[in-house]
C-alpha cells in the first residue's frame, strides 16, 4: 500500500515540476530582451529599456506589440549609432501593485535606464517611489491619475492626458446638453477615486454636480453590480458617467442592459479607459450590444504620414501573429506607448551627446538597524539619472500621435478629444472638444481631418454644435437627464402654517380627517404642475403650529437638511436663501412698503392761499418780478416817455406796469424790440405760474386731503417711533441692517394686530408704522381704509417656490410659471384670491404738495438769461452810439488830454448822461410827402393850395378862433381845431414864426391832419430860438406870421 502511495506521490511531484518548468520558460520568453543584431556581426553596446504592462489586458497586449515595433524601428534607424542599440525588458504587473513592484524590481536589477509604464495608475503610485530612489525615469502611456503629477513623483512622466483634462472634456459634453446632475460609477481605487474627484471639480465649473457616487470594488461580482444598478435606477438622475477599466465595464454594461437601463431616457458617458477598446468588438458581440448608443470621449489623434507609415510597418512586423489585428494597431494607448519609446530613445541620444553615461552606482549605505540589508535597499542608482530626466522633459518632437511635449511636471501637453457615439459595430465621431474652444463639430485647427479607425456622422456639420447623437433606445431627441422615479417616495413639500393671511396659504380638514390645502400660492403651484411634461407625486406637510408665524429661514433650511424636497408658500426670494436653495421664477412681485395711519388735511384756514407755493418759490417769484421790471425800465427809459419823468413817477410806473402783467392788463406801450422780447418771455412765465398756482389752490380748497403721518422709509428711520413687522419675516433682519434699534421693532401676527397697533399709535403702546411686503400690505388696505402706504415701494423682490440646489424641478417649474404669466392664468388666480380694490380709490396726498422752485427753475432760468442778454445787447449799442457822438463833438480829443482815471470818469458821466437823455424819433419828410400824394386827390390838392395862398403873408393870433376866422369858408368847419396841448416845437410864445422855424399844427377831432414837417428836441429848439424872443414876457401875444403853410392828409370833399 505504501509503495503504491509513494509512486503516486512521485508521479504528482514530477507533473508539478514539469508544469513549473513550462511556466518559467514562458515567462522567460515574454521577458526576454528584444534587440536587433548589430551590423557586421559585431556585438553592440546595449542600453536596457524596461516595460511594465499587464500582459492579459487588452491595453497591455496592444502596448507590448507597439513597444516591440518601436525598439525594432529605432535600432533599424540607427538612432543611437551603429554601436549602440536598445534592448527591451518587459515585466508583467497583472494590474496589481504588489506584483507590479516585484516586476519593477526585476527591471531595475537589469539596470534599465528608463521604464515605459506602468500601465495602470495603481501600480504607478508604488513604482514611482522606486524610480525616484534609483533615479530611473518612468514614462507612462496610460496612467491618468491626476495625483501622479505631484512633486513627490519627480521621475514620473505621463505621455497621455491626465484625468484633469479628460474630465474637463466630459464636463464639456454634460454642459453642452444642459444636464445639471450626473451619477458617477467608478472603481474604488486610486485610478477611479482621483478621476471622479477631477470630474466633480470640472462639473462644478460648468454649473453641474455629481448627485451620487457609486464606487465598485475592483473584484466585484455580477450580483454586486446588479444591486448597485438597481439602487441607481430608483434615483432621479439618468445621466451616468463610467470611469473604470474595460474588464469591469463589460460586466457593468451587460448587467445594465439586462436591467433595461440602456433604454430611452438614459444617458451613458464613458471615459477613455473604455472608449479605447470600443473600436473593434466583433469578437465579443454581447459586450458590443450592451454598449449600443453609449457616448464617450477619446484622445484625438489626427491622420498623418507618420501614422500611415506606422500602420504599414505594424502589418509587416506582426504579420505572423494573427492575434494582433487592427484593434491592437489602432489602440490609442498603443500609439502613445510607441511615441514614449521614441521619446526615450531621442532623449538617450541627447543625453549621450552631452557626456552622460548609463552607469549605475551603489546606493547610499544605511545603518544596519535601518533595514537597509533587503533587496530594495540594495538596488543600484542611475548616476546621471537627473540629467537624463532633464533631457526627457526638454525634448519635443512630432510622433505618430501628433506633437509630443511635456511640461515641467511631466504632464502631456495637449487637450483635444473626440466625442464618440457607439452605433452598430463601431464608433461614430459626432464632434470634438478642446480646452480652448469647447465642443466643436470639426477637429480643432484642421479641416476634414480623418480620425483613427472610426466613421464620421453623416450630413453636414453644424457651425456651433455637435452632430446628432443616437441615444439609448435609438432616439435622436436629447434625454432630459432625470425622471421622477415611479417606485420612489413622493416629494415632501413643506407649507408654512401661520395664524393669519389665509388668502395665501391655508389648510382645512374634512370629515374623513383628510387635510387639504388652499390659497393663492397653492393654486399657482398646482396650476404650474399641470403644465409640466410629466407627472409628479407629492404630499404637503405643515410647518408651524398654526398659532404663530414660523421662521421662513428655518423653513427653507429644511430643504438643506433633506427633510423637505421643496417649499411652497409665500416665500420671498432673498440673497441669503438663494445661497442654499434654488428658487423658481417669481410668480408675484414683491417689495417692502411702509403702512401708516392717515389724518385729515387742513385745507381751510386764513393763509391757505399761500400753500400752493413753497416760501422759496414765493421769494424767487417776487424777486423776478422786480428784476424784470428793472430790465424793462432800463430798455425803455431813453425812448419811451411813459418810463420818464420824476424818479418817483418812474418807480411807480415801472412797478405798476410789471405787476399788471399778472392780469395781462398793462397799458404802457413797449417801443423797443429788446423790451418786447423780454416782455413776451416774461408773460409766458407768468402764464405758467398763474396756471399752476390756480390748479394747486383749487385742489387744496376743494378736495378733501388725507395725509400720512410719516412720509416714507427715510423719515421713518430718522424718527423714534416703534415699527411693526410680520413675525417670522425677513423684514426684521433688513431693518436691523438699516441700523434700526432692536427695541423699536414690534412683531405682529395678524391683520387685526396690524390695525390695533396702528390705531393705538406710538404713544399708547402701539406702533407708528408697519413695514411689510407689498402683497400683505395690499390685502391689509383692502379692508382697512384708515391707513395708507407712505412713500414709494422699495427693495424690489418676489415670491418663488424653493427646491434643493441644482434641482431640475426648479427649472421646469420656472418655465411653467412663465407660461402661466403669458396666457393670463397667473393674473386670474391673483384676482380670485386677492381683492385689493376696496379702499384703493381714496385720495391720499403727501404732505409735500406745495410747488417748489424745483418745478419752475427752468422757466426762471430762461427769462433771466433772456433779460441779461437783452441788457447786454442794449448796453453795447449805447456804448457804440455814445462813442460815435463823442467823436462827432470832439469830446474824445479832450479826454485824451486827461489822465486815465479822469478820462474814465468823464466817459462814464457822459455815457450815463447820454443814456438818460430822451430820444424822440423824427419822421422822414419823403415818407410824409409820399403818403400825402397817395391819399389826396387832384381837387383836394387845389383846395389846399388856394387856402395856403389865402393865409400866406397874413398875421394871425395864436388863438384857435383867429385861425378859424382867417381860413376860407370851405375850411372853417367845426371839425377843425388847433391842438394847443402840443405847441410846435422850437416856437417861443413871444416869437414870430417864419416858414423856416415853425408851422402851425392843425388837428382834426379824430385824426391829426396837419403835422409839422420836422421835429426837434427841446434843447435844439432852445438853441435855435433868437435871444430877442427869449426876453419877451409870456403874457404878450406876439403875432404869428404864417408863411408857406402846408396842409397834410386833409381829407376834403371834392366839389
Amino acid at each position: 500500500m505504501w509503495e503504491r502511495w509513494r509512486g503516486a506521490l512521485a508521479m504528482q511531484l514530477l507533473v508539478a515540476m514539469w508544469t513549473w518548468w513550462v511556466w518559467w520558460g514562458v515567462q522567460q520568453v515574454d521577458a526576454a530582451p528584444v534587440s536587433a543584431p548589430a551590423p557586421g556581426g559585431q556585438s553592440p553596446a546595449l542600453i536596457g529599456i524596461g516595460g511594465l504592462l499587464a500582459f492579459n489586458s487588452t491595453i497591455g497586449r496592444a502596448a507590448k506589440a507597439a513597444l516591440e515595433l518601436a525598439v525594432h524601428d529605432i535600432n533599424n534607424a540607427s538612432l543611437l549609432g551603429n554601436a549602440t542599440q536598445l534592448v527591451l525588458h518587459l515585466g508583467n504587473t497583472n494590474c496589481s501593485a504588489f506584483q507590479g513592484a516585484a516586476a519593477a524590481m526585476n527591471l531595475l536589477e537589469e539596470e534599465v535606464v528608463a521604464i515605459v509604464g506602468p500601465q495602470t495608475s495603481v501600480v504607478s503610485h508604488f513604482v514611482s517611489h522606486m524610480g525616484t530612489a534609483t533615479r530611473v525615469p518612468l514614462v507612462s502611456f496610460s496612467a491618468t491619475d491626476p495625483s501622479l503629477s505631484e512633486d513627490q513623483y519627480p521621475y514620473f512622466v505621463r505621455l497621455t492626458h491626465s484625468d484633469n483634462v479628460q474630465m474637463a472634456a466630459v464636463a464639456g459634453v454634460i454642459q453642452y446638453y444642459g444636464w445639471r446632475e450626473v451619477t458617477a460609477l467608478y472603481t474604488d481605487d486610486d485610478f477611479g477615486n482621483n478621476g471622479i474627484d477631477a470630474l466633480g471639480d470640472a462639473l462644478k465649473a460648468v454649473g453641474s454636480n455629481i448627485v451620487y457616487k457609486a464606487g465598485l470594488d475592483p473584484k466585484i461580482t455580477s450580483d454586486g453590480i446588479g444591486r448597485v444598478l438597481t439602487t441607481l435606477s430608483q434615483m432621479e438622475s439618468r445621466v451616468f458617467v463610467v470611469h473604470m477599466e474595460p474588464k469591469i465595464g463589460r460586466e457593468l454594461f451587460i448587467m445594465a442592459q439586462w436591467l433595461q437601463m440602456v433604454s430611452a431616457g438614459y444617458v451613458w458617458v464613458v471615459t477613455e479607459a473604455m472608449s479605447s477598446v470600443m473600436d473593434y468588438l466583433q469578437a465579443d458581440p454581447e459586450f458590443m450590444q450592451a454598449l449600443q448608443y453609449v457616448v464617450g470621449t477619446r484622445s484625438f489623434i489626427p491622420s498623418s504620414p507618420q501614422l500611415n507609415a506606422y500602420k504599414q510597418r505594424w502589418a509587416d512586423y506582426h504579420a505572423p501573429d494573427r492575434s494582433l489585428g487592427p484593434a491592437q494597431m489602432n489602440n490609442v494607448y498603443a500609439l502613445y506607448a510607441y511615441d514614449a519609446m521614441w521619446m526615450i530613445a531621442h532623449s538617450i541620444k541627447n543625453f549621450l551627446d552631452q557626456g552622460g553615461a548609463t552607469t549605475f552606482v551603489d546606493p547610499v549605505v544605511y545603518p544596519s538597524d535601518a533595514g537597509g540589508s533587503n533587496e530594495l535597499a540594495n538596488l543600484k542608482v542611475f548616476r546621471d539619472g537627473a540629467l537624463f530626466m532633464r533631457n526627457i522633459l526638454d525634448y519635443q518632437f512630432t510622433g505618430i500621435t501628433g506633437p509630443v511635449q511635456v511640461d515641467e511636471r511631466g504632464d502631456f501637453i495637449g487637450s483635444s478629444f473626440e466625442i464618440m457615439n457607439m452605433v452598430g459595430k463601431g464608433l461614430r465621431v459626432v464632434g470634438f472638444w478642446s480646452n480652448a474652444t469647447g465642443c466643436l463639430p470639426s477637429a480643432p485647427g484642421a479641416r476634414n481631418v480623418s480620425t483613427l479607425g472610426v466613421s464620421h456622422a453623416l450630413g453636414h456639420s453644424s457651425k456651433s454644435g455637435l452632430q446628432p447623437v443616437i441615444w439609448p433606445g435609438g432616439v435622436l431627441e436629447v434625454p432630459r437627464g432625470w425622471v421622477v422615479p415611479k417606485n420612489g417616495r413622493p416629494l415632501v413639500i413643506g407649507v408654512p402654517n401661520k395664524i393669519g393671511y389665509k388668502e395665501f396659504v391655508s389648510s382645512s380638514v374634512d370629515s374623513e380627517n383628510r387635510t387639504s390645502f388652499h390659497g393663492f400660492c397653492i393654486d399657482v403651484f398646482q396650476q404650474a404642475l399641470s403644465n409640466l411634461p410629466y407627472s409628479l407625486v407629492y404630499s404637503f406637510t405643515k410647518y408651524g403650529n398654526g398659532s404663530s408665524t414660523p421662521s421662513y429661514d428655518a423653513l427653507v433650511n429644511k430643504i438643506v437638511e433633506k427633510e423637505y424636497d421643496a417649499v411652497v408658500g409665500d416665500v420671498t426670494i432673498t440673497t441669503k436663501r438663494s445661497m442654499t436653495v434654488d428658487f423658481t421664477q417669481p410668480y408675484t412681485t414683491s417689495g417692502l412698503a411702509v403702512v401708516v395711519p392717515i389724518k385729515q388735511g387742513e385745507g381751510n384756514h386764513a393763509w391757505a392761499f399761500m400753500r400752493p407755493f413753497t416760501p422759496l418759490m414765493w421769494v424767487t417769484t417776487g424777486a423776478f418780478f422786480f428784476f424784470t421790471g428793472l430790465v424793462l425800465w432800463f430798455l425803455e427809459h431813453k425812448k419811451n416817455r411813459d418810463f420818464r419823468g420824476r424818479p418817483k413817477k418812474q418807480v411807480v410806473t415801472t412797478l405798476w406796469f410789471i405787476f399788471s402783467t399778472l392780469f395781462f392788463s398793462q397799458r404802457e406801450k413797449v417801443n423797443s424790440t429788446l423790451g418786447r422780447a423780454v416782455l413776451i418771455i416774461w408773460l409766458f412765465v407768468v402764464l405758467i405760474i398763474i396756471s399752476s398756482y390756480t390748479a394747486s389752490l383749487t385742489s387744496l380748497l376743494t378736495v378733501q386731503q388725507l395725509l400720512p403721518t410719516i412720509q416714507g422709509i427715510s423719515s421713518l428711520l430718522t424718527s423714534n417711533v416703534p415699527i411693526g413687522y410680520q413675525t417670522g419675516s425677513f423684514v426684521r433682519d433688513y431693518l436691523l441692517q438699516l441700523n434700526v434699534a432692536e427695541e423699536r421693532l414690534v412683531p405682529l401676527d395678524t391683520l387685526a394686530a396690524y390695525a390695533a397697533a396702528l390705531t393705538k399709535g406710538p404713544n399708547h403702546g402701539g406702533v407708528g408704522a408697519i413695514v411689510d411686503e407689498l402683497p400683505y400690505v395690499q390685502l391689509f388696505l383692502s379692508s382697512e381704509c384708515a391707513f395708507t402706504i407712505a412713500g414709494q415701494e422699495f427693495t424690489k423682490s418676489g415670491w418663488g417656490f424653493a427646491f434643493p440646489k441644482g434641482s431640475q424641478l426648479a427649472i421646469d417649474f420656472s418655465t411653467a410659471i412663465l407660461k402661466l404669466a403669458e396666457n393670463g392664468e397667473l393674473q386670474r388666480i391673483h384676482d380670485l384670491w386677492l381683492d385689493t380694490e376696496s379702499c384703493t380709490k381714496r385720495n391720499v396726498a403727501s404732505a409735500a404738495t406745495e410747488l417748489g422752485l424745483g418745478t419752475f427753475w427752468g422757466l426762471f432760468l430762461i427769462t433771466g438769461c433772456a433779460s441779461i442778454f437783452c441788457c447786454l445787447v442794449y448796453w453795447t449799442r449805447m456804448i457804440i452810439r455814445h462813442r460815435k457822438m463823442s467823436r462827432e463833438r470832439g469830446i474824445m480829443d479832450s479826454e485824451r488830454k486827461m489822465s486815465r482815471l479822469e478820462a474814465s470818469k468823464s466817459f462814464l458821466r457822459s455815457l450815463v448822461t447820454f443814456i438818460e437823455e430822451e430820444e424822440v424819433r423824427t419822421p422822414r419828410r419823403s415818407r410824409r410827402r409820399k403818403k400825402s400824394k397817395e391819399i389826396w386827390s387832384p381837387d383836394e390838392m387845389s383846395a389846399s393850395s388856394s387856402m395856403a395862398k389865402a393865409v400866406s403873408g397874413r398875421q394871425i393870433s395864436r388863438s384857435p378862433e383867429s385861425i378859424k376866422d382867417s381860413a376860407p369858408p370851405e375850411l372853417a368847419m367845426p371839425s377843425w381845431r388847433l391842438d394847443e396841448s402840443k405847441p410846435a416845437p422850437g416856437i417861443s410864445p413871444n416869437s414870430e414864426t417864419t416858414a423856416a422855424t415853425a408851422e402851425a399844427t392843425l388837428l382834426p377831432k379824430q385824426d391829426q391832419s396837419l403835422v409839422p414837417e420836422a421835429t426837434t428836441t427841446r434843447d435844439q429848439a432852445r438853441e435855435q430860438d433868437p435871444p430877442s424872443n427869449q426876453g419877451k414876457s409870456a403874457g404878450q401875444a406876439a403875432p404869428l406870421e404864417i408863411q408857406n403853410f402846408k396842409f397834410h392828409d386833409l381829407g376834403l370833399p371834392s366839389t
Side-chain angles (χ1 to χ4, degrees):
M1 176 67 72
W2 170 247
E3 293 294 335
R4 185 182 302 173
W5 280 106
R6 186 173 60 180
L9 182 60
M11 182 62 68
Q12 290 179 0
L13 288 174
L14 289 175
V15 171
M17 292 178 62
W18 181 83
T19 303
W20 177 87
W21 179 81
V22 171
W23 176 85
W24 181 83
V26 171
Q27 292 293 329
Q28 292 298 319
V29 171
D30 289 338
V34 179
S35 62
Q42 299 179 357
S43 181
L46 301 178
I47 297 179
I49 304 296
L52 288 176
L53 310 173
F55 293 163
N56 295 327
S57 65
T58 303
I59 297 175
R61 287 193 297 269
K64 177 177 177 293
L67 291 178
E68 293 173 350
L69 177 61
V71 171
H72 177 268
D73 292 343
I74 292 170
N75 291 334
N76 285 345
S78 300
L79 179 65
L80 304 178
N82 296 329
T84 304
Q85 289 190 350
L86 297 182
V87 59
L88 179 62
H89 301 272
L90 296 177
N92 186 12
T93 63
N94 201 24
C95 297
S96 168
F98 177 77
Q99 190 169 342
M105 187 175 65
N106 293 333
L107 295 179
L108 294 175
E109 289 177 348
E110 297 288 341
E111 297 184 359
V112 295
V113 298
I115 295 177
V116 180
Q119 176 182 323
T120 61
S121 300
V122 176
V123 178
S124 298
H125 276 281
F126 193 90
V127 176
S128 293
H129 291 291
M130 299 174 64
T132 300
T134 58
R135 301 179 187 175
V136 175
L138 279 70
V139 182
S140 179
F141 56 89
S142 58
T144 59
D145 186 355
S147 63
L148 291 171
S149 302
E150 297 175 358
D151 292 337
Q152 61 177 325
Y153 307 113
Y155 282 84
F156 181 83
V157 178
R158 191 197 325 264
L159 212 63
T160 187
H161 294 104
S162 167
D163 279 341
N164 283 333
V165 181
Q166 182 179 192
M167 294 307 174
V170 175
V173 175
I174 302 297
Q175 180 191 24
Y176 178 82
Y177 291 108
W179 298 315
R180 299 282 301 275
E181 298 177 348
V182 302
T183 300
L185 293 101
Y186 57 97
T187 51
D188 191 10
D189 53 16
D190 292 338
F191 164 72
N193 290 321
N194 295 330
I196 294 302
D197 289 343
L199 175 63
D201 295 339
L203 289 175
K204 288 181 180 179
V206 299
S208 302
N209 65 307
I210 301 175
V211 294
Y212 188 79
K213 296 180 180 180
L216 305 181
D217 191 327
K219 298 180 180 180
I220 192 172
T221 62
S222 298
D223 293 339
I225 294 176
R227 287 191 294 269
V228 172
L229 291 178
T230 302
T231 302
L232 297 180
S233 66
Q234 299 176 359
M235 297 182 178
E236 293 183 2
S237 176
R238 287 295 183 265
V239 181
F240 301 100
V241 177
V242 180
H243 182 59
M244 58 184 61
E245 297 294 337
K247 182 179 179 180
I248 303 179
R250 181 182 185 277
E251 301 297 329
L252 174 71
F253 277 97
I254 292 175
M255 183 57 67
Q257 184 185 27
W258 187 78
L259 293 174
Q260 297 182 356
M261 295 179 65
V262 191
S263 57
Y266 286 86
V267 177
W268 293 88
V269 181
V270 299
T271 59
E272 193 170 33
M274 285 196 61
S275 63
S276 61
V277 302
M278 291 167 57
D279 293 282
Y280 303 94
L281 293 176
Q282 290 81 359
D284 193 348
E286 187 180 10
F287 188 21
M288 182 175 63
Q289 184 62 33
L291 288 173
Q292 290 300 304
Y293 313 122
V294 170
V295 176
T297 59
R298 189 177 67 176
S299 298
F300 169 58
I301 299 177
S303 179
S304 64
Q306 294 93 327
L307 182 59
N308 295 332
Y310 160 80
K311 293 180 180 180
Q312 184 61 43
R313 292 194 303 273
W314 175 288
D316 296 339
Y317 185 78
H318 295 293
D321 192 350
R322 295 182 178 180
S323 63
L324 301 176
Q328 290 73 28
M329 178 180 64
N330 293 319
N331 188 277
V332 173
Y333 294 120
L335 301 178
Y336 280 130
Y338 184 88
D339 277 346
M341 183 60 72
W342 274 93
M343 184 179 190
I344 293 173
H346 283 288
S347 300
I348 292 175
K349 181 178 182 301
N350 295 336
F351 168 74
L352 295 177
D353 293 341
Q354 295 173 8
T358 58
T359 304
F360 284 78
V361 297
D362 293 331
V364 178
V365 178
Y366 293 96
S368 58
D369 58 353
S373 59
N374 54 46
E375 294 184 2
L376 286 175
N378 293 330
L379 290 175
K380 293 186 177 182
V381 178
F382 188 9
R383 187 185 64 184
D384 295 334
L387 177 61
F388 182 45
M389 183 65 186
R390 175 51 52 189
N391 277 275
I392 293 176
L393 296 177
D394 293 341
Y395 188 74
Q396 52 183 300
F397 69 105
T398 300
I400 61 175
T401 59
V404 178
Q405 184 182 4
V406 295
D407 57 17
E408 287 295 325
R409 290 192 173 185
D411 282 334
F412 181 66
I413 298 177
S415 62
S416 298
F417 285 84
E418 294 174 321
I419 302 173
M420 323 293 294
N421 185 203
M422 185 69 178
V423 179
K425 296 182 179 180
L427 290 175
R428 170 175 167 266
V429 177
V430 296
F432 299 84
W433 181 92
S434 70
N435 193 29
T437 61
C439 293
L440 293 173
S442 58
R447 293 184 178 180
N448 299 327
V449 178
S450 62
T451 52
L452 188 65
V454 296
S455 62
H456 289 264
L458 300 177
H460 298 286
S461 298
S462 172
K463 293 183 178 180
S464 59
L466 303 178
Q467 296 287 352
V469 174
I470 302 178
W471 303 102
V475 298
L476 292 175
E477 182 181 0
V478 179
R480 190 168 61 246
W482 72 282
V483 294
V484 178
K486 296 181 180 180
N487 55 350
R489 66 177 180 84
L491 293 178
V492 179
I493 300 177
V495 177
N497 184 25
K498 54 186 181 181
I499 188 172
Y501 302 102
K502 300 300 182 181
E503 291 82 358
F504 297 105
V505 176
S506 63
S507 61
S508 61
V509 181
D510 58 14
S511 57
E512 298 180 0
N513 201 25
R514 291 180 302 184
T515 303
S516 60
F517 292 81
H518 316 279
F520 169 67
C521 302
I522 300 299
D523 279 7
V524 172
F525 174 79
Q526 292 176 344
Q527 194 65 33
L529 183 62
S530 65
N531 282 271
L532 296 181
Y534 49 86
S535 60
L536 191 67
V537 181
Y538 65 93
S539 63
F540 288 128
T541 300
K542 295 181 182 180
Y543 179 78
N545 53 19
S547 60
S548 63
T549 302
S551 172
Y552 276 62
D553 288 338
L555 172 61
V556 172
N557 196 50
K558 292 294 183 180
I559 299 177
V560 182
E561 297 173 356
K562 306 295 184 180
E563 186 172 343
Y564 292 157
D565 297 313
V567 169
V568 172
D570 48 345
V571 181
T572 305
I573 303 173
T574 64
T575 304
K576 177 182 177 182
R577 297 169 184 171
S578 298
M579 296 176 64
T580 57
V581 298
D582 281 349
F583 282 97
T584 63
Q585 178 80 13
Y587 57 87
T588 184
T589 58
S590 176
L592 296 183
V594 180
V595 182
V596 296
I598 55 178
K599 61 181 180 179
Q600 180 69 37
E602 298 179 358
N604 300 320
H605 56 85
W607 297 98
F609 68 91
M610 297 292 291
R611 289 185 59 190
F613 288 163
T614 61
L616 180 60
M617 180 63 185
W618 282 114
V619 173
T620 304
T621 304
F624 266 86
F625 266 98
F626 286 105
F627 171 73
T628 306
L630 180 62
V631 170
L632 288 173
W633 173 85
F634 178 70
L635 298 176
E636 295 294 322
H637 177 69
K638 187 174 181 63
K639 297 182 179 182
N640 196 335
R641 290 182 179 180
D642 293 337
F643 291 89
R644 298 189 63 83
R646 296 186 304 275
K648 180 179 180 181
K649 175 180 177 296
Q650 296 182 43
V651 171
V652 172
T653 302
T654 302
L655 293 178
W656 169 260
F657 175 82
I658 195 64
F659 281 101
S660 296
T661 59
L662 281 171
F663 315 102
F664 303 97
S665 60
Q666 66 277 4
R667 296 183 179 181
E668 290 76 12
K669 295 182 179 179
V670 178
N671 297 331
S672 65
T673 303
L674 295 176
R676 291 174 180 174
V678 172
L679 182 60
I680 287 297
I681 296 176
W682 173 247
L683 290 176
F684 174 75
V685 174
V686 170
L687 176 64
I688 299 300
I689 292 177
I690 291 177
S691 301
S692 302
Y693 175 85
T694 304
S696 181
L697 183 61
T698 302
S699 175
L700 289 172
L701 297 180
T702 60
V703 180
Q704 183 184 15
Q705 298 294 311
L706 301 176
L707 304 178
T709 55
I710 295 176
Q711 304 306 316
I713 185 64
S714 299
S715 59
L716 179 62
L717 296 178
T718 56
S719 65
N720 293 321
V721 300
I723 303 173
Y725 69 94
Q726 185 181 163
T727 305
S729 172
F730 74 99
V731 176
R732 180 180 182 277
D733 295 336
Y734 176 80
L735 293 177
L736 291 177
Q737 292 177 2
L738 296 180
N739 298 323
V740 177
E742 188 173 1
E743 56 269 15
R744 291 179 57 190
L745 302 180
V746 179
L748 303 172
D749 288 328
T750 63
L751 296 179
Y754 277 20
L758 289 173
T759 303
K760 290 180 181 179
N763 298 325
H764 300 86
V767 297
I770 292 177
V771 179
D772 205 349
E773 296 182 74
L774 188 60
Y776 302 122
V777 171
Q778 291 176 341
L779 183 64
F780 174 68
L781 296 181
S782 65
S783 58
E784 298 291 340
C785 299
F787 312 100
T788 186
I789 297 176
Q792 300 294 327
E793 179 188 359
F794 55 99
T795 65
K796 295 289 185 179
S797 183
W799 291 355
F801 305 136
F803 292 92
K805 204 71 175 175
S807 175
Q808 186 67 28
L809 284 173
I811 300 175
D812 292 347
F813 266 94
S814 296
T815 304
I817 291 173
L818 290 176
K819 292 180 180 179
L820 294 179
E822 292 173 357
N823 59 26
E825 186 67 20
L826 196 60
Q827 185 63 38
R828 187 194 64 81
I829 300 174
H830 180 275
D831 297 340
L832 177 64
W833 286 97
L834 306 176
D835 181 16
T836 59
E837 298 297 330
S838 299
C839 298
T840 56
K841 295 184 179 180
R842 58 194 170 189
N843 183 24
V844 180
S846 173
T849 57
E850 299 174 333
L851 299 176
L853 183 60
T855 308
F856 301 100
W857 71 268
L859 292 174
F860 289 128
L861 179 65
I862 293 174
T863 184
C865 292
S867 300
I868 294 174
F869 175 75
C870 291
C871 289
L872 292 177
V873 173
Y874 179 76
W875 184 264
T876 304
R877 290 172 56 185
M878 290 296 103
I879 292 176
I880 294 174
R881 292 179 58 184
H882 174 260
R883 294 178 66 89
K884 181 178 180 181
M885 184 196 71
S886 299
R887 283 195 296 268
E888 292 176 355
R889 297 182 179 181
I891 298 178
M892 298 185 65
D893 296 336
S894 61
E895 290 179 352
R896 293 192 183 98
K897 300 177 182 180
M898 304 178 184
S899 64
R900 180 175 299 178
L901 180 60
E902 293 177 350
S904 300
K905 293 181 179 179
S906 175
F907 174 78
L908 290 177
R909 283 195 299 268
S910 62
L911 178 60
V912 173
T913 303
F914 174 75
I915 296 176
E916 178 65 22
E917 289 180 351
E918 181 182 8
E919 178 181 316
V920 182
R921 294 183 179 179
T922 302
R924 297 179 181 177
R925 185 187 303 271
S926 58
R927 183 182 301 172
R928 296 298 182 185
R929 290 177 178 176
K930 182 177 179 181
K931 185 175 182 182
S932 63
K933 290 179 181 180
E934 293 175 355
I935 298 177
W936 285 28
S937 64
D939 297 334
E940 293 171 345
M941 291 292 291
S942 62
S944 175
S945 177
S946 63
M947 188 187 76
K949 291 178 180 180
V951 300
S952 177
R954 298 182 185 179
Q955 292 184 351
I956 62 175
S957 65
R958 294 181 59 85
S959 62
E961 291 77 2
S962 62
I963 295 178
K964 294 179 181 179
D965 295 339
S966 61
E970 61 269 22
L971 295 178
M973 299 167 57
S975 61
W976 296 92
R977 65 181 178 83
L978 285 175
D979 189 359
E980 293 180 334
S981 64
K982 295 183 180 179
I987 301 178
S988 176
N990 300 324
S991 63
E992 292 183 0
T993 61
T994 63
T997 60
E999 294 180 356
T1001 304
L1002 188 62
L1003 299 173
K1005 290 182 179 180
Q1006 301 299 329
D1007 193 12
Q1008 183 177 352
S1009 303
L1010 300 175
V1011 296
E1013 289 185 354
T1015 59
T1016 60
T1017 63
R1018 290 191 180 93
D1019 296 336
Q1020 293 173 351
R1022 194 176 294 113
E1023 292 174 1
Q1024 294 175 3
D1025 196 10
S1028 59
N1029 295 334
Q1030 297 177 6
K1032 295 182 180 181
S1033 62
Q1036 297 177 348
L1040 179 63
E1041 181 179 358
I1042 302 177
Q1043 297 179 355
N1044 299 330
F1045 193 90
K1046 296 181 181 180
F1047 294 85
H1048 300 282
D1049 300 339
L1050 288 176
L1052 297 178
S1054 59
T1055 57

